Amino acid sequence: MDELLKDVNAWTPLAIAWGSNLLAATIILIVGWWVSAAVGRAVGKAASRSPRIDPTIVPMVRSVAVWAIRIFTLIAVLARFGVQTASLIAVLGAAGLAIGLALQGTLQNISAGIMLLALRPLRAGEYIAIGSSQEGTVQEVGLFLTRLTQADGINISLPNSTVWNATIINYSRHVRRRLDVASVVRYGDDIDLAINTLKALVAKHPLVLQDPAPAVLVTEYRDNGVVVVARVWAEASKHWELTCSLRYEVRKALESAGMRAPVPVRGVEDEEVSSGAAKAPAQSGDLTS
């Protein structure tokens, strides 16, 4: 019994120390995780309230802030148990170097995301095309992925390195976009009437901007007629709506003005008739002689 009491007395301070360290570590872990989540929410709210903050950078900044706090929290937890954090940081640095060499593609995505946020060739809410493969509205540029939403509602996630290395076509960066609507006026129809009809149409269309002034130009000759282009400017957000509207109204206005459908015209000549016509002068000459 005396030996048991001695063992209990010997282990009691150690158990109390470990228990207090475990309790403190648990509290630090819970508080650190809660603070990181609170900081993440605060960053999101600050971005939504301030018009000066570009929403494109919010996801990456939020992720960096959250995980920085969590890493410091884990280091503080390990320090409560007597782990030498200095040596731990050195080991983590060496491990990070090895992992970085093994995950070069992932690090390329991170660096590409930083360059996308720094140079800003795209922003959240803008409609872009990545080369000739993908296009959609930018939702966010994260640490590893850029997320787009297509016009049909399909979500696309692209690695940041793919976006950075591709040609980025931004359709929404400028507030105005030019639109060319081509129509064909058949040979024999009044070309001046067609031009004046289209000028009157674009002058009164509510979606067509009058500055820069719209223009109607003859640009090409084809087998089925003369190509007349209505060149107008519209707000970037109204570009597709105006495109569909003009493609319908241009053809309707030309038909109302008496323009015929621009179908291809081909001359067909019968071989027997043409050969008979060629021989006719000679035969008539024989008769007169």
Side-chain angles (χ1 to χ4, degrees):
M1 179 63 76
D2 293 336
E3 293 180 358
L4 180 59
L5 291 176
K6 290 180 181 180
D7 293 338
V8 171
N9 292 330
W11 284 98
T12 298
L14 183 60
I16 293 174
W18 273 94
S20 61
N21 288 333
L22 182 60
L23 179 61
T26 304
I27 294 174
I28 292 173
L29 188 62
I30 294 174
V31 172
W33 240 250
W34 179 84
V35 170
S36 66
V39 169
R41 290 192 298 267
V43 171
K45 290 181 180 179
S48 61
R49 292 176 181 175
S50 177
R52 297 182 179 180
I53 298 178
D54 190 347
T56 309
I57 67 174
V58 174
M60 182 174 290
V61 173
R62 182 172 54 208
S63 298
V64 171
V66 168
W67 283 105
I69 295 174
R70 290 179 179 178
I71 290 173
F72 281 113
T73 300
L74 293 176
I75 293 175
V77 169
L78 293 176
R80 291 297 304 178
F81 292 101
V83 178
Q84 295 297 326
T85 56
S87 59
L88 177 62
I89 293 174
V91 171
L92 290 177
L97 179 61
I99 294 173
L101 293 175
L103 301 176
Q104 294 183 12
T106 302
L107 294 179
Q108 287 179 359
N109 289 328
I110 296 176
S111 60
I114 294 173
M115 295 302 296
L116 290 173
L117 293 176
L119 300 180
R120 297 186 180 182
L122 52 89
R123 296 175 182 171
E126 292 182 335
Y127 191 87
I128 66 169
I130 307 299
S132 58
S133 57
Q134 304 293 345
E135 63 179 45
T137 303
V138 180
Q139 298 301 319
E140 68 172 11
V141 179
L143 278 175
F144 306 102
L145 299 174
T146 297
R147 292 181 174 85
L148 309 177
T149 300
Q150 291 183 333
D152 54 3
I154 296 177
N155 184 272
I156 303 175
S157 296
L158 298 172
N160 289 337
S161 58
T162 300
V163 179
W164 176 250
N165 293 325
T167 300
I168 301 174
I169 304 173
N170 195 322
Y171 294 102
S172 304
R173 180 55 55 91
H174 299 295
V175 296
R176 295 178 299 184
R177 286 184 59 188
R178 199 185 77 185
L179 167 64
D180 291 352
V181 176
S183 57
V184 180
V185 178
R186 191 168 172 177
Y187 293 115
D189 289 344
D190 190 346
I191 188 67
D192 292 327
L193 177 59
I195 292 175
N196 292 331
T197 300
L198 295 183
K199 285 183 177 179
L201 172 63
V202 298
K204 66 180 181 181
H205 199 288
L207 298 181
V208 174
L209 298 177
Q210 299 305 314
D211 184 22
V216 179
L217 310 170
V218 175
T219 60
E220 187 181 353
Y221 294 99
R222 295 181 182 173
D223 293 340
N224 57 338
V226 180
V227 178
V228 180
V229 174
R231 176 168 293 175
V232 300
W233 287 82
E235 295 179 5
S237 59
K238 303 291 184 181
H239 183 270
W240 180 245
E241 182 180 353
L242 179 59
T243 300
C244 297
S245 176
L246 281 184
R247 286 176 179 173
Y248 170 75
E249 295 185 18
V250 163
R251 188 66 253 166
K252 186 177 179 181
L254 291 177
E255 291 178 353
S256 299
M259 304 294 165
R260 295 172 293 173
V263 296
V265 178
R266 296 287 187 275
V268 180
E269 185 176 0
D270 185 77
E271 184 177 356
E272 294 181 359
V273 174
S274 61
S275 60
K279 294 178 180 179
Q283 294 175 356
S284 61
D286 293 341
L287 293 174
T288 54
S289 61

